[in-house]
Amino acid sequence: MPWFYERASQIEWPRIRELMERALDEARARICRSPRRVLLLPPDITRMHSGAGKMTEMLYQMLAKDADVHVIPTLGQHEPHSREQNARMFGSIPHERIHAHHWIDTVVPVGEVPAEFVKEVSRGAADWAIPIDLNTMLMREKWDLIINIGHVVPHEVLGFANHNKNYFIGLAGKRTICASHIAAACCGIENNLGTLITPVRACFNKAEEDFLGSLPDFYIQIVMARNPEDQLVHTGIYVGDDLDTYLMAARQSREENIKVFEEPLHKVVCYMQEDEFVSTWVANKAIYRTRMVMADGGELIIIAPGLKRFGEQEEVDRLIRKYGYVGTKRIMELYRTNADLQDLAHAAAHLIHGSSEGRFTITYAPGHLTREEIEGVNFKYADLQETLRRYPIDKLREGWNTTPDGETIYYIPTPSAGLWATRKKLYERPPGFEC
Protein backbone atom coordinates (compact mmCIF):
# COMPACT_ATOMS: atom_id res chain seq x y z
CA MET A 1 0.00 0.00 0.00
CA PRO A 2 1.12 3.63 -0.46
CA TRP A 3 2.76 5.35 2.47
CA PHE A 4 -0.05 7.89 2.17
CA TYR A 5 -2.26 9.53 -0.44
CA GLU A 6 -4.67 12.40 -0.82
CA ARG A 7 -7.57 12.61 -3.22
CA ALA A 8 -9.82 15.67 -3.64
CA SER A 9 -11.71 17.67 -6.25
CA GLN A 10 -8.74 20.05 -6.25
CA ILE A 11 -5.49 20.00 -4.29
CA GLU A 12 -4.09 23.52 -4.08
CA TRP A 13 -0.37 24.35 -4.19
CA PRO A 14 -0.03 25.20 -0.47
CA ARG A 15 -1.39 21.74 0.32
CA ILE A 16 0.88 20.13 -2.27
CA ARG A 17 3.86 21.72 -0.50
CA GLU A 18 2.71 20.15 2.77
CA LEU A 19 2.41 16.77 1.03
CA MET A 20 5.95 17.10 -0.35
CA GLU A 21 7.21 17.83 3.18
CA ARG A 22 5.34 14.79 4.49
CA ALA A 23 6.83 12.65 1.70
CA LEU A 24 10.32 13.61 2.85
CA ASP A 25 9.45 12.96 6.49
CA GLU A 26 8.25 9.46 5.52
CA ALA A 27 11.37 8.84 3.45
CA ARG A 28 13.63 9.85 6.34
CA ALA A 29 11.78 7.46 8.63
CA ARG A 30 11.62 4.55 6.14
CA ILE A 31 14.70 4.84 3.90
CA CYS A 32 17.41 7.17 5.22
CA ARG A 33 17.22 9.39 8.29
CA SER A 34 19.82 11.92 7.08
CA PRO A 35 20.19 11.67 3.29
CA ARG A 36 23.41 13.33 2.11
CA ARG A 37 23.11 12.53 -1.60
CA VAL A 38 19.71 12.71 -3.27
CA LEU A 39 18.57 12.09 -6.85
CA LEU A 40 15.31 13.58 -8.16
CA LEU A 41 13.77 11.95 -11.26
CA PRO A 42 11.01 14.13 -12.74
CA PRO A 43 9.46 13.87 -16.22
CA ASP A 44 10.66 15.98 -19.12
CA ILE A 45 9.17 19.20 -20.43
CA THR A 46 6.43 17.42 -22.40
CA ARG A 47 4.78 16.87 -18.98
CA MET A 48 5.23 20.46 -17.84
CA HIS A 49 1.47 20.96 -17.52
CA SER A 50 1.45 18.35 -14.72
CA GLY A 51 3.24 20.63 -12.26
CA ALA A 52 5.84 17.89 -11.66
CA GLY A 53 8.59 20.41 -12.35
CA LYS A 54 7.33 22.73 -9.63
CA MET A 55 7.08 19.82 -7.18
CA THR A 56 10.65 18.88 -8.07
CA GLU A 57 11.72 22.43 -7.30
CA MET A 58 9.96 22.25 -3.92
CA LEU A 59 11.75 19.01 -3.06
CA TYR A 60 15.08 20.44 -4.14
CA GLN A 61 14.60 23.51 -1.93
CA MET A 62 13.63 21.35 1.05
CA LEU A 63 16.64 19.05 0.64
CA ALA A 64 19.47 21.23 -0.70
CA LYS A 65 20.32 22.93 2.58
CA ASP A 66 21.48 19.60 4.04
CA ALA A 67 22.18 17.37 1.03
CA ASP A 68 23.93 17.20 -2.32
CA VAL A 69 20.90 17.08 -4.64
CA HIS A 70 20.91 16.24 -8.36
CA VAL A 71 18.14 16.08 -10.99
CA ILE A 72 17.86 13.90 -14.08
CA PRO A 73 14.77 14.59 -16.24
CA THR A 74 13.56 11.20 -17.46
CA LEU A 75 13.92 12.02 -21.14
CA GLY A 76 13.93 8.53 -22.62
CA GLN A 77 15.07 9.26 -26.15
CA HIS A 78 13.64 12.80 -26.19
CA GLU A 79 15.84 15.81 -26.91
CA PRO A 80 17.75 17.11 -23.87
CA HIS A 81 16.46 20.31 -22.30
CA SER A 82 18.03 23.65 -23.07
CA ARG A 83 19.04 25.94 -20.22
CA GLU A 84 15.89 27.97 -20.87
CA GLN A 85 13.68 24.86 -20.78
CA ASN A 86 15.24 23.74 -17.51
CA ALA A 87 14.50 27.16 -16.01
CA ARG A 88 10.92 27.06 -17.29
CA MET A 89 10.34 23.52 -16.01
CA PHE A 90 12.32 23.55 -12.73
CA GLY A 91 12.41 27.21 -11.70
CA SER A 92 15.24 28.03 -9.30
CA ILE A 93 17.09 24.69 -9.46
CA PRO A 94 20.62 25.52 -10.68
CA HIS A 95 21.21 24.42 -14.27
CA GLU A 96 24.44 22.63 -13.35
CA ARG A 97 22.45 20.37 -10.98
CA ILE A 98 20.25 19.15 -13.85
CA HIS A 99 21.85 16.35 -15.89
CA ALA A 100 20.83 15.28 -19.39
CA HIS A 101 20.11 11.60 -19.96
CA HIS A 102 21.24 10.29 -23.33
CA TRP A 103 19.88 6.93 -24.40
CA ILE A 104 23.05 6.00 -26.33
CA ASP A 105 26.09 6.95 -24.25
CA THR A 106 25.01 7.47 -20.64
CA VAL A 107 23.77 3.93 -19.89
CA VAL A 108 25.11 0.65 -18.54
CA PRO A 109 23.73 -2.90 -18.92
CA VAL A 110 21.80 -4.18 -15.90
CA GLY A 111 20.21 -7.44 -17.09
CA GLU A 112 17.32 -8.58 -19.25
CA VAL A 113 13.72 -9.70 -19.10
CA PRO A 114 13.84 -13.23 -20.59
CA ALA A 115 12.20 -13.95 -23.93
CA GLU A 116 10.09 -16.68 -22.34
CA PHE A 117 8.56 -14.19 -19.91
CA VAL A 118 7.91 -11.62 -22.65
CA LYS A 119 6.22 -14.28 -24.79
CA GLU A 120 4.08 -15.48 -21.87
CA VAL A 121 2.77 -12.08 -20.78
CA SER A 122 2.22 -10.89 -24.37
CA ARG A 123 0.39 -14.11 -25.30
CA GLY A 124 2.88 -14.72 -28.10
CA ALA A 125 2.66 -11.26 -29.69
CA ALA A 126 6.34 -10.67 -28.80
CA ASP A 127 8.91 -13.42 -28.26
CA TRP A 128 12.22 -11.63 -27.70
CA ALA A 129 14.12 -10.67 -24.57
CA ILE A 130 14.06 -7.06 -23.40
CA PRO A 131 17.60 -5.98 -22.45
CA ILE A 132 17.70 -3.58 -19.51
CA ASP A 133 20.22 -0.75 -19.88
CA LEU A 134 19.87 2.15 -17.43
CA ASN A 135 21.43 5.53 -16.77
CA THR A 136 25.02 5.28 -15.54
CA MET A 137 24.64 8.03 -12.95
CA LEU A 138 21.59 6.25 -11.50
CA MET A 139 23.21 2.82 -11.32
CA ARG A 140 26.88 3.53 -10.65
CA GLU A 141 26.80 6.40 -8.17
CA LYS A 142 25.94 6.15 -4.48
CA TRP A 143 22.56 7.62 -3.49
CA ASP A 144 20.96 7.85 -0.06
CA LEU A 145 17.56 8.70 -1.54
CA ILE A 146 15.98 8.58 -5.02
CA ILE A 147 12.61 10.25 -5.64
CA ASN A 148 10.53 9.58 -8.76
CA ILE A 149 7.97 12.30 -9.51
CA GLY A 150 5.45 11.90 -12.31
CA HIS A 151 2.01 12.23 -13.85
CA VAL A 152 -0.16 9.11 -14.06
CA VAL A 153 -2.24 9.35 -17.23
CA PRO A 154 -3.34 6.89 -19.96
CA HIS A 155 -0.37 5.78 -22.06
CA GLU A 156 0.07 3.96 -25.36
CA VAL A 157 2.83 1.55 -24.26
CA LEU A 158 2.25 0.99 -20.54
CA GLY A 159 -1.49 1.55 -20.20
CA PHE A 160 -0.81 4.41 -17.79
CA ALA A 161 2.32 6.52 -17.59
CA ASN A 162 4.77 6.88 -14.76
CA HIS A 163 5.89 4.66 -11.86
CA ASN A 164 8.76 2.51 -13.15
CA LYS A 165 8.36 4.00 -16.63
CA ASN A 166 10.70 6.66 -15.18
CA TYR A 167 13.42 4.00 -15.11
CA PHE A 168 12.75 1.64 -18.00
CA ILE A 169 11.86 4.26 -20.60
CA GLY A 170 12.81 7.59 -19.04
CA LEU A 171 16.34 6.56 -18.01
CA ALA A 172 16.75 3.61 -20.36
CA GLY A 173 19.09 2.88 -23.22
CA LYS A 174 18.42 2.29 -26.88
CA ARG A 175 18.14 -1.49 -26.57
CA THR A 176 15.54 -1.28 -23.80
CA ILE A 177 13.47 1.42 -25.47
CA CYS A 178 13.49 -0.26 -28.88
CA ALA A 179 12.69 -3.79 -27.67
CA SER A 180 9.88 -2.63 -25.37
CA HIS A 181 8.24 -0.24 -27.82
CA ILE A 182 8.08 -2.70 -30.70
CA ALA A 183 6.70 -5.31 -28.27
CA ALA A 184 3.96 -2.86 -27.24
CA ALA A 185 3.17 -2.13 -30.89
CA CYS A 186 2.83 -5.85 -31.60
CA CYS A 187 0.38 -6.12 -28.71
CA GLY A 188 -1.71 -3.32 -30.25
CA ILE A 189 -1.94 0.29 -29.08
CA GLU A 190 -5.70 0.08 -28.58
CA ASN A 191 -5.20 -2.94 -26.33
CA ASN A 192 -2.62 -1.06 -24.25
CA LEU A 193 -4.34 2.28 -23.69
CA GLY A 194 -6.06 2.47 -20.32
CA THR A 195 -5.02 -1.04 -19.22
CA LEU A 196 -3.64 -1.16 -15.67
CA ILE A 197 -0.98 -3.80 -16.38
CA THR A 198 -0.03 -4.17 -20.05
CA PRO A 199 2.43 -6.86 -21.16
CA VAL A 200 5.28 -4.33 -21.27
CA ARG A 201 4.31 -2.97 -17.85
CA ALA A 202 4.45 -6.56 -16.55
CA CYS A 203 7.96 -6.85 -18.00
CA PHE A 204 9.02 -3.62 -16.31
CA ASN A 205 7.54 -4.76 -13.01
CA LYS A 206 9.66 -7.91 -13.24
CA ALA A 207 12.75 -5.89 -14.13
CA GLU A 208 12.21 -3.59 -11.15
CA GLU A 209 11.86 -6.56 -8.84
CA ASP A 210 14.88 -8.37 -10.30
CA PHE A 211 17.33 -5.50 -10.71
CA LEU A 212 16.34 -2.42 -8.70
CA GLY A 213 15.45 -3.85 -5.30
CA SER A 214 18.49 -2.26 -3.66
CA LEU A 215 17.72 1.31 -4.77
CA PRO A 216 16.70 3.65 -1.90
CA ASP A 217 13.76 4.97 -3.91
CA PHE A 218 10.08 5.89 -3.75
CA TYR A 219 7.41 7.38 -6.00
CA ILE A 220 5.30 10.54 -5.96
CA GLN A 221 2.42 9.91 -8.36
CA ILE A 222 0.28 12.81 -9.62
CA VAL A 223 -3.30 12.61 -10.93
CA MET A 224 -5.01 15.54 -12.64
CA ALA A 225 -8.48 16.25 -14.00
CA ARG A 226 -10.45 19.22 -15.37
CA ASN A 227 -12.46 21.30 -12.92
CA PRO A 228 -15.80 23.02 -13.68
CA GLU A 229 -13.83 26.03 -15.05
CA ASP A 230 -12.18 23.71 -17.63
CA GLN A 231 -8.76 23.96 -15.96
CA LEU A 232 -6.45 21.02 -15.35
CA VAL A 233 -6.02 20.71 -11.58
CA HIS A 234 -4.39 18.24 -9.21
CA THR A 235 -6.87 15.72 -7.82
CA GLY A 236 -4.60 13.00 -6.45
CA ILE A 237 -1.14 12.63 -4.88
CA TYR A 238 0.06 9.10 -4.08
CA VAL A 239 3.35 8.51 -2.24
CA GLY A 240 4.99 5.14 -1.67
CA ASP A 241 7.50 2.56 -2.85
CA ASP A 242 5.35 -0.30 -4.13
CA LEU A 243 3.19 -1.32 -7.09
CA ASP A 244 -0.02 -0.43 -5.24
CA THR A 245 1.10 3.20 -5.20
CA TYR A 246 0.94 3.10 -8.99
CA LEU A 247 -2.23 1.00 -9.17
CA MET A 248 -4.23 3.29 -6.89
CA ALA A 249 -3.17 6.35 -8.87
CA ALA A 250 -3.91 4.59 -12.16
CA ARG A 251 -7.38 3.60 -10.98
CA GLN A 252 -8.11 7.23 -10.13
CA SER A 253 -6.76 8.29 -13.52
CA ARG A 254 -8.96 5.65 -15.15
CA GLU A 255 -12.00 7.18 -13.43
CA GLU A 256 -11.12 10.82 -14.14
CA ASN A 257 -9.07 10.84 -17.34
CA ILE A 258 -10.97 8.45 -19.60
CA LYS A 259 -14.09 9.79 -21.28
CA VAL A 260 -16.37 7.04 -22.55
CA PHE A 261 -18.81 7.58 -25.43
CA GLU A 262 -21.66 5.42 -26.65
CA GLU A 263 -21.04 6.44 -30.27
CA PRO A 264 -17.82 7.42 -32.10
CA LEU A 265 -16.99 11.04 -32.91
CA HIS A 266 -16.78 12.32 -36.48
CA LYS A 267 -14.89 15.61 -36.03
CA VAL A 268 -12.29 16.13 -33.30
CA VAL A 269 -9.98 19.14 -32.95
CA CYS A 270 -6.93 18.94 -30.65
CA TYR A 271 -4.54 21.66 -29.53
CA MET A 272 -0.93 20.79 -28.72
CA GLN A 273 0.79 23.46 -26.61
CA GLU A 274 3.55 25.32 -28.47
CA ASP A 275 6.12 25.12 -25.68
CA GLU A 276 5.72 21.39 -25.08
CA PHE A 277 5.10 19.72 -28.45
CA VAL A 278 7.67 20.43 -31.16
CA SER A 279 7.79 17.01 -32.90
CA THR A 280 5.16 14.56 -34.10
CA TRP A 281 6.93 12.06 -31.84
CA VAL A 282 5.15 13.75 -28.92
CA ALA A 283 2.38 15.69 -30.70
CA ASN A 284 1.00 12.40 -32.02
CA LYS A 285 -0.41 11.86 -28.54
CA ALA A 286 -3.39 13.64 -30.08
CA ILE A 287 -3.77 10.57 -32.33
CA TYR A 288 -3.04 7.98 -29.66
CA ARG A 289 -5.50 9.32 -27.12
CA THR A 290 -8.41 9.89 -29.54
CA ARG A 291 -8.12 6.95 -31.92
CA MET A 292 -10.47 4.77 -29.84
CA VAL A 293 -13.28 7.31 -30.19
CA MET A 294 -12.79 8.30 -33.84
CA ALA A 295 -15.48 7.22 -36.27
CA ASP A 296 -14.60 5.43 -39.48
CA GLY A 297 -14.39 8.18 -42.08
CA GLY A 298 -14.01 10.85 -39.41
CA GLU A 299 -11.45 13.66 -39.23
CA LEU A 300 -8.92 14.49 -36.53
CA ILE A 301 -7.43 17.99 -36.76
CA ILE A 302 -4.28 18.70 -34.74
CA ILE A 303 -3.31 22.32 -34.17
CA ALA A 304 0.41 22.34 -33.34
CA PRO A 305 1.99 25.81 -33.47
CA GLY A 306 5.31 24.52 -32.06
CA LEU A 307 5.71 21.67 -34.55
CA LYS A 308 9.07 21.88 -36.34
CA ARG A 309 10.20 18.28 -36.86
CA PHE A 310 9.01 14.67 -36.81
CA GLY A 311 11.49 12.75 -34.64
CA GLU A 312 13.23 13.78 -31.44
CA GLN A 313 16.63 12.82 -32.92
CA GLU A 314 17.91 13.41 -36.43
CA GLU A 315 18.15 9.70 -37.22
CA VAL A 316 14.56 9.07 -36.11
CA ASP A 317 13.38 12.17 -37.97
CA ARG A 318 14.97 10.78 -41.14
CA LEU A 319 13.22 7.44 -40.71
CA ILE A 320 9.81 9.06 -40.24
CA ARG A 321 10.36 11.16 -43.37
CA LYS A 322 11.54 8.09 -45.28
CA TYR A 323 8.73 5.68 -44.42
CA GLY A 324 5.79 7.78 -43.18
CA TYR A 325 2.74 6.82 -41.14
CA VAL A 326 1.45 4.10 -43.47
CA GLY A 327 -0.22 1.58 -41.14
CA THR A 328 0.71 -1.55 -39.21
CA LYS A 329 0.74 -4.01 -42.09
CA ARG A 330 3.03 -1.94 -44.30
CA ILE A 331 5.37 -0.89 -41.47
CA MET A 332 5.78 -4.49 -40.30
CA GLU A 333 6.62 -5.52 -43.88
CA LEU A 334 9.21 -2.76 -44.00
CA TYR A 335 10.49 -3.62 -40.52
CA ARG A 336 11.21 -7.21 -41.52
CA THR A 337 13.24 -6.16 -44.56
CA ASN A 338 14.98 -2.90 -43.62
CA ALA A 339 17.96 -2.75 -41.28
CA ASP A 340 17.43 0.91 -40.37
CA LEU A 341 13.96 0.19 -38.96
CA GLN A 342 15.27 -2.85 -37.12
CA ASP A 343 18.07 -0.75 -35.62
CA LEU A 344 15.57 1.87 -34.40
CA ALA A 345 12.66 -0.42 -33.62
CA HIS A 346 11.00 2.17 -31.38
CA ALA A 347 10.63 4.34 -34.50
CA ALA A 348 8.83 1.49 -36.26
CA ALA A 349 6.52 1.24 -33.25
CA HIS A 350 5.92 5.00 -33.38
CA LEU A 351 4.98 4.81 -37.06
CA ILE A 352 2.45 2.10 -36.22
CA HIS A 353 0.98 4.04 -33.30
CA GLY A 354 0.70 7.23 -35.36
CA SER A 355 -1.31 5.75 -38.21
CA SER A 356 -5.10 5.74 -38.33
CA GLU A 357 -4.86 2.47 -40.30
CA GLY A 358 -6.93 4.24 -42.95
CA ARG A 359 -9.98 4.49 -40.68
CA PHE A 360 -10.02 8.30 -40.33
CA THR A 361 -8.07 11.24 -41.71
CA ILE A 362 -5.41 13.05 -39.69
CA THR A 363 -4.86 16.72 -40.53
CA TYR A 364 -1.97 18.69 -39.03
CA ALA A 365 -1.87 22.50 -38.81
CA PRO A 366 1.84 22.97 -37.95
CA GLY A 367 3.71 26.09 -36.97
CA HIS A 368 6.92 25.39 -38.89
CA LEU A 369 6.63 22.34 -41.18
CA THR A 370 5.55 22.78 -44.79
CA ARG A 371 2.68 21.20 -46.70
CA GLU A 372 5.17 19.03 -48.57
CA GLU A 373 6.71 17.76 -45.33
CA ILE A 374 3.37 16.97 -43.68
CA GLU A 375 1.89 15.29 -46.74
CA GLY A 376 5.18 13.45 -47.28
CA VAL A 377 4.59 11.38 -44.12
CA ASN A 378 0.98 10.59 -45.04
CA PHE A 379 -0.87 13.26 -43.03
CA LYS A 380 -3.11 15.97 -44.48
CA TYR A 381 -2.02 19.59 -44.17
CA ALA A 382 -3.90 22.70 -43.03
CA ASP A 383 -2.65 26.27 -42.75
CA LEU A 384 -2.13 27.20 -39.09
CA GLN A 385 -3.60 30.70 -39.17
CA GLU A 386 -6.62 29.68 -41.20
CA THR A 387 -7.22 26.74 -38.85
CA LEU A 388 -6.98 29.01 -35.80
CA ARG A 389 -9.53 31.33 -37.43
CA ARG A 390 -11.93 28.44 -37.96
CA TYR A 391 -11.25 27.00 -34.50
CA PRO A 392 -10.40 29.89 -32.12
CA ILE A 393 -8.91 27.97 -29.23
CA ASP A 394 -9.33 30.85 -26.77
CA LYS A 395 -13.10 30.62 -27.25
CA LEU A 396 -13.42 26.82 -27.12
CA ARG A 397 -13.91 24.58 -24.11
CA GLU A 398 -13.18 20.89 -23.87
CA GLY A 399 -16.16 19.00 -25.26
CA TRP A 400 -18.79 19.88 -27.82
CA ASN A 401 -18.52 23.30 -29.45
CA THR A 402 -20.13 25.19 -32.31
CA THR A 403 -17.54 27.17 -34.26
CA PRO A 404 -18.01 30.69 -35.67
CA ASP A 405 -18.73 29.01 -39.02
CA GLY A 406 -21.54 26.95 -37.46
CA GLU A 407 -19.64 23.65 -37.46
CA THR A 408 -20.12 21.19 -34.59
CA ILE A 409 -16.83 19.76 -33.28
CA TYR A 410 -15.47 18.00 -30.23
CA TYR A 411 -12.52 19.98 -28.87
CA ILE A 412 -9.67 18.62 -26.72
CA PRO A 413 -7.14 21.21 -25.46
CA THR A 414 -4.67 18.80 -23.83
CA PRO A 415 -5.10 15.31 -25.32
CA SER A 416 -1.93 14.09 -23.60
CA ALA A 417 -3.77 14.35 -20.26
CA GLY A 418 -6.47 11.79 -21.03
CA LEU A 419 -8.04 9.13 -23.20
CA TRP A 420 -11.24 9.25 -25.25
CA ALA A 421 -12.89 5.98 -26.29
CA THR A 422 -16.16 4.35 -27.18
CA ARG A 423 -17.57 1.93 -24.66
CA LYS A 424 -17.16 -0.89 -27.16
CA LYS A 425 -13.47 -0.26 -27.82
CA LEU A 426 -12.64 0.29 -24.16
CA TYR A 427 -14.41 -2.69 -22.64
CA GLU A 428 -14.52 -5.31 -25.42
CA ARG A 429 -10.84 -6.17 -25.57
CA PRO A 430 -8.86 -9.44 -25.61
CA PRO A 431 -8.15 -11.24 -22.32
CA GLY A 432 -5.20 -9.71 -20.51
CA PHE A 433 -6.02 -6.17 -21.65
CA GLU A 434 -8.99 -5.49 -19.39
CA CYS A 435 -9.37 -1.85 -18.41
Side-chain angles (χ1 to χ4, degrees):
M1 292 296 292
W3 296 348
F4 68 90
Y5 69 94
E6 185 156 321
R7 180 172 179 173
S9 58
Q10 182 167 345
I11 307 175
E12 302 283 359
W13 278 109
R15 180 56 180 159
I16 290 174
R17 178 175 290 276
E18 292 174 355
L19 294 173
M20 296 302 102
E21 290 172 343
R22 182 178 173 188
L24 292 181
D25 288 342
E26 292 281 351
R28 291 185 182 102
R30 296 169 181 264
I31 297 176
C32 180
R33 183 159 299 281
S34 300
R36 296 303 179 193
R37 243 179 140 248
V38 180
L39 181 61
L40 305 179
L41 302 178
D44 68 10
I45 200 163
T46 63
R47 305 280 186 188
M48 189 169 69
H49 60 271
S50 70
K54 186 173 180 178
M55 294 182 207
T56 303
E57 182 185 18
M58 288 178 177
L59 292 165
Y60 183 91
Q61 292 170 344
M62 293 170 190
L63 288 159
K65 60 182 180 294
D66 298 314
D68 178 25
V69 186
H70 296 264
V71 180
I72 309 178
T74 52
L75 294 166
Q77 54 81 57
H78 292 180
E79 184 179 48
H81 292 177
S82 65
R83 179 180 290 270
E84 185 275 333
Q85 286 175 317
N86 274 336
R88 185 151 31 100
M89 179 83 174
F90 302 116
S92 64
I93 299 178
H95 179 72
E96 60 272 14
R97 290 281 161 168
I98 305 172
H99 308 275
H101 170 74
H102 193 281
W103 70 319
I104 302 296
D105 56 14
T106 65
V107 298
V108 292
V110 174
E112 73 171 23
V113 179
E116 296 78 10
F117 184 87
V118 178
K119 183 176 182 179
E120 177 185 355
V121 296
S122 70
R123 289 170 167 75
D127 61 358
W128 49 86
I130 298 179
I132 303 298
D133 301 335
L134 296 177
N135 183 274
T136 305
M137 192 171 173
L138 167 73
M139 299 305 299
R140 292 284 173 84
E141 297 192 20
K142 168 68 174 155
W143 303 104
D144 298 316
L145 189 61
I146 299 171
I147 308 175
N148 287 274
I149 311 104
H151 186 191
V152 177
V153 65
H155 189 266
E156 53 276 4
V157 171
L158 295 172
F160 290 85
N162 211 246
H163 197 250
N164 53 32
K165 175 181 180 290
N166 263 20
Y167 292 128
F168 301 114
I169 294 179
L171 294 182
K174 176 183 174 181
R175 296 193 307 162
T176 307
I177 291 173
C178 287
S180 59
H181 277 65
I182 196 66
C186 289
C187 291
I189 184 174
E190 294 186 12
N191 291 327
N192 295 325
L193 285 159
T195 299
L196 292 176
I197 304 289
T198 65
V200 174
R201 170 73 73 179
C203 292
F204 288 172
N205 291 346
K206 177 174 174 54
E208 182 176 19
E209 182 178 340
D210 288 352
F211 307 124
L212 303 187
S214 62
L215 290 185
D217 63 343
F218 73 97
Y219 297 95
I220 296 174
Q221 308 280 262
I222 303 162
V223 182
M224 303 186 78
R226 290 197 173 272
N227 66 10
E229 289 72 45
D230 204 33
Q231 299 169 322
L232 267 179
V233 298
H234 297 99
T235 57
I237 302 288
Y238 294 79
V239 177
D241 61 357
D242 64 357
L243 184 60
D244 280 338
T245 304
Y246 156 74
L247 288 171
M248 288 182 67
R251 290 187 181 105
Q252 182 180 344
S253 176
R254 182 176 62 185
E255 293 174 25
E256 296 182 347
N257 301 147
I258 300 180
K259 290 184 172 60
V260 183
F261 297 78
E262 297 302 327
E263 299 295 333
L265 305 181
H266 289 270
K267 188 75 169 265
V268 176
V269 176
C270 294
Y271 180 73
M272 307 306 289
Q273 287 72 15
E274 183 173 5
D275 57 353
E276 294 185 44
F277 301 98
V278 299
S279 69
T280 56
W281 187 276
V282 289
N284 275 4
K285 289 182 186 296
I287 303 169
Y288 309 159
R289 308 300 174 77
T290 63
R291 62 184 303 128
M292 294 174 72
V293 79
M294 292 300 304
D296 291 356
E299 183 178 16
L300 171 64
I301 297 174
I302 306 170
I303 302 171
L307 198 69
K308 59 184 179 182
R309 60 179 183 266
F310 296 108
E312 287 285 288
Q313 296 86 30
E314 288 185 11
E315 61 269 29
V316 174
D317 189 85
R318 285 195 296 270
L319 278 186
I320 296 173
R321 292 172 186 269
K322 178 179 179 180
Y323 295 109
Y325 299 92
V326 293
T328 300
K329 181 179 178 181
R330 180 59 181 149
I331 289 298
M332 288 307 295
E333 290 172 353
L334 293 165
Y335 177 72
R336 284 189 282 268
T337 57
N338 287 271
D340 53 0
L341 279 177
Q342 293 169 7
D343 181 56
L344 294 169
H346 72 309
H350 168 78
L351 291 171
I352 290 171
H353 291 164
S355 170
S356 74
E357 308 294 344
R359 283 204 309 108
F360 55 92
T361 62
I362 300 167
T363 300
Y364 257 104
H368 306 280
L369 294 174
T370 66
R371 176 186 294 274
E372 290 72 23
E373 288 174 305
I374 291 293
E375 292 179 349
V377 298
N378 211 39
F379 292 139
K380 296 180 73 173
Y381 173 87
D383 178 78
L384 177 62
Q385 296 308 317
E386 173 60 20
T387 304
L388 287 170
R389 185 200 66 77
R390 291 182 63 192
Y391 309 110
I393 59 172
D394 57 331
K395 295 181 173 62
L396 303 177
R397 289 172 61 92
E398 182 173 319
W400 293 107
N401 292 261
T402 301
T403 72
D405 296 338
E407 183 182 16
T408 299
I409 64 164
Y410 194 92
Y411 175 63
I412 304 173
T414 313
S416 58
L419 174 65
W420 291 258
T422 62
R423 186 172 301 279
K424 179 180 177 63
K425 280 189 174 287
L426 190 64
Y427 294 115
E428 296 181 17
R429 298 199 269 192
F433 294 94
E434 295 84 357
C435 181

